[in-house]
Amino acid sequence: MKHLFYILVASVLLSSCGEFQKVLKSEDTAAKFQLGEQLYNEGKYNKANRLFTQIVPSYRGKPQAEKLMYLYANTFYETGEHYLAGYQFERFVTAYPRSEKLEEAYYKSAISYAALSPVYSKDQHETKHALEKLQLFANLYPNSSYMPEINQTVKDLQYKLELKAYSTAKQYNHITDYKASIKSFDNFIVDFPGSSLREKALFYRFDSAYQLAIKSIEDKKQERLEKALTYYNAFKILYAQSEFIEDADKMNEDIIKQLEQYSTNS
């Protein structure tokens, strides 16, 4: 009985594969649409996509085009082809602005572009593009059931931008390019006022200013020490209980001692 069962299963599989190949090679667009939809409903998105790809141009302007274009775009979404999914859903919302699938299409386009966001250490062009698409969805559908996921995705991508900017500034500090580090941390603090990395940014901005000051030529040293002192105060006011406060206090004591020399000399 087991052998008979396996033979029947094999026969069905061969039959279905044979039907797919036959329709794929035929000129019958209606048969391709019908089989493509059947395969789509069965979760066989790659095969459905191959059939839909062949007939999309033939259905432009026809009543079935809206349904076909949605199914076609969604085959990319379901198979993880994020760029093509985002692009095809964008085409869909442009072509069918009154579709009942419009909200879902905007959502899947935005989420697809978000999936293209690279690790924070790489260029973040795709991340910024995805944030624009996510914000567009939020503007269009503020009460959507998708908004919790949209908000979390925005939060995740925003943190990636924060981490990118912070890491760049910290790297300047690491390689002792203190001027660039200070400028980068200044920009970070302005651009991301609510960042969870703000405490570290304020500390390492102070650290960079301190290092720049004590290593300066005499003509610039006093001015830079005074500037470093303002950065210490900004850090101390906000983060008096910081894990970095002990190091910050030691640097501040050194700054005060060195500044006292200038007041004595004057």
Side-chain angles (χ1 to χ4, degrees):
M1 290 294 292
K2 286 185 177 179
H3 291 304
L4 179 59
F5 172 75
Y6 290 132
I7 291 172
L8 289 173
V9 170
S11 298
V12 170
L13 291 174
L14 287 172
S15 176
S16 62
C17 288
E19 180 186 8
F20 173 75
Q21 290 298 330
K22 179 180 178 182
V23 174
L24 188 68
K25 295 176 182 178
S26 76
E27 299 296 326
D28 190 339
T29 56
K32 291 182 180 183
F33 196 158
Q34 182 179 4
L35 181 58
E37 186 175 2
Q38 177 187 325
L39 292 168
Y40 176 94
N41 292 332
E42 293 173 358
K44 299 175 182 177
Y45 301 111
N46 282 312
K47 284 188 174 182
N49 177 273
R50 291 181 65 188
L51 291 168
F52 293 153
T53 299
Q54 291 186 343
I55 62 175
V56 162
S58 302
Y59 275 85
R60 289 198 180 100
K62 294 183 179 180
Q64 306 98 317
E66 180 182 335
K67 180 179 182 180
L68 174 61
M69 289 303 296
Y70 174 83
L71 296 178
Y72 181 53
N74 208 42
T75 58
F76 291 115
Y77 183 83
E78 294 292 346
T79 54
E81 294 285 348
H82 304 303
Y83 177 79
L84 290 172
Y87 172 71
Q88 291 297 337
F89 274 121
E90 277 191 317
R91 291 186 64 195
F92 179 87
V93 300
T94 300
Y96 307 104
R98 297 181 180 178
S99 173
E100 63 179 19
K101 293 286 190 180
L102 198 64
E103 178 182 341
E104 185 178 347
Y106 268 113
Y107 160 76
K108 288 186 173 179
S109 178
I111 290 296
S112 295
Y113 283 124
L116 294 170
S117 174
V119 295
Y120 77 89
S121 57
K122 294 186 177 180
D123 181 82
Q124 293 300 305
H125 173 76
E126 288 90 349
T127 302
K128 294 175 183 177
H129 182 242
L131 283 168
E132 291 175 1
K133 299 301 179 183
L134 291 162
Q135 186 60 56
L136 174 61
F137 179 88
N139 293 342
L140 292 172
Y141 303 101
N143 300 315
S144 171
S145 60
Y146 294 120
M147 278 308 298
E149 184 180 355
I150 292 292
N151 287 333
Q152 184 58 53
T153 304
V154 167
K155 185 178 180 181
D156 293 342
L157 297 188
Q158 188 70 19
Y159 180 72
K160 194 176 290 187
L161 293 182
E162 293 173 19
L163 195 56
K164 172 70 173 180
Y166 170 81
S167 298
T168 299
K170 180 72 183 305
Q171 181 63 17
Y172 283 130
N173 173 277
H174 179 70
I175 64 175
T176 69
D177 188 349
Y178 299 119
K179 288 183 180 179
S181 181
I182 294 167
K183 183 176 181 180
S184 295
F185 277 125
D186 280 340
N187 292 337
F188 175 89
I189 291 163
V190 171
D191 293 340
F192 307 106
S195 173
S196 60
L197 297 168
R198 186 176 177 83
E199 177 184 343
K200 291 182 178 179
L202 285 169
F203 171 73
Y204 283 110
R205 180 181 67 168
F206 167 54
D207 179 73
S208 294
Y210 169 75
Q211 299 295 340
L212 178 65
I214 63 173
K215 295 174 183 179
S216 293
I217 60 174
E218 194 59 37
D219 288 347
K220 296 183 178 181
K221 194 168 187 178
Q222 182 179 0
E223 179 185 353
R224 287 176 175 175
L225 285 168
E226 290 171 349
K227 185 64 176 178
L229 188 60
T230 66
Y231 286 149
Y232 166 78
N233 291 330
F235 174 73
K236 178 85 170 184
I237 289 170
L238 292 173
Y239 301 105
Q241 305 302 318
S242 170
E243 62 177 305
F244 304 110
I245 198 64
E246 186 176 343
D247 290 337
D249 286 343
K250 288 179 181 178
M251 287 187 281
N252 182 58
E253 290 173 6
D254 186 38
I255 290 172
I256 292 172
K257 286 180 181 179
Q258 295 199 46
L259 285 174
E260 286 175 350
Q261 298 174 9
Y262 292 101
S263 61
T264 301
N265 293 335
S266 62

